[in-house]
Amino acid sequence: QVQLQESGPGLVKPSQTLSLTCTVSGDSITTTDYYWTWIRQPPGKGLEWIGYIAFSGNSYYNPSLKTRASISRDTSNNQFTMQLTSMTPEDTGTYYCARGYKIGHYDYWGQGTQVTVSS
């Protein structure tokens, strides 16, 4: 059974950098053909894809967030981490990590973590 668990701060101040880590169990983040993804959902809105780091280590981002987002991985601990710079209140929402088996399709999700941007 694959499990993903997000961790990180629940509150960040405007202009700060958010750093969230997803810890994966039951699969290796280097397993071929999977995409380890970050997705968020602002309150009252739909899901927004942030980006992913592929099994190869290459990462890809939503063009609207590309200048602010970065995703890296720690293969020794089977974790991948997302950083989002210059946070604003519009970045408030629930952040999820997920395993993608093809672009836009996910079979395992973390439970999500609430992030609030406020001074």
Side-chain angles (χ1 to χ4, degrees):
Q1 179 75 5
V2 179
Q3 294 183 318
L4 297 89
Q5 178 66 58
E6 305 91 348
S7 60
L11 177 67
V12 297
K13 290 180 168 54
S15 81
Q16 288 186 337
T17 294
L18 172 68
S19 182
L20 294 176
T21 294
C22 184
T23 301
V24 179
S25 60
D27 189 15
S28 168
I29 61 173
T30 60
T31 300
T32 301
D33 290 341
Y34 287 119
Y35 306 89
W36 302 94
T37 306
W38 287 98
I39 295 165
R40 68 180 182 179
Q41 185 169 30
K45 297 185 179 180
L47 296 171
E48 179 181 30
W49 173 71
I50 298 172
Y52 67 76
I53 186 162
F55 60 96
S56 61
N58 293 327
S59 54
Y60 298 88
Y61 304 100
N62 185 324
S64 68
L65 296 170
K66 187 176 182 179
T67 60
R68 299 173 51 211
S70 64
I71 300 174
S72 59
R73 67 181 185 177
D74 177 355
T75 56
S76 62
N77 287 308
N78 216 35
Q79 297 174 326
F80 61 106
T81 296
M82 188 244 343
Q83 291 194 319
L84 193 61
T85 63
S86 304
M87 295 287 283
T88 73
E90 287 68 41
D91 294 310
T92 292
T94 303
Y95 286 71
Y96 300 91
C97 58
R99 189 181 80 167
Y101 58 94
K102 63 178 179 178
I103 302 303
H105 294 75
Y106 312 100
D107 53 2
Y108 292 98
W109 293 71
Q111 65 183 21
T113 187
Q114 174 67 34
V115 175
T116 300
V117 184
S118 174
S119 56

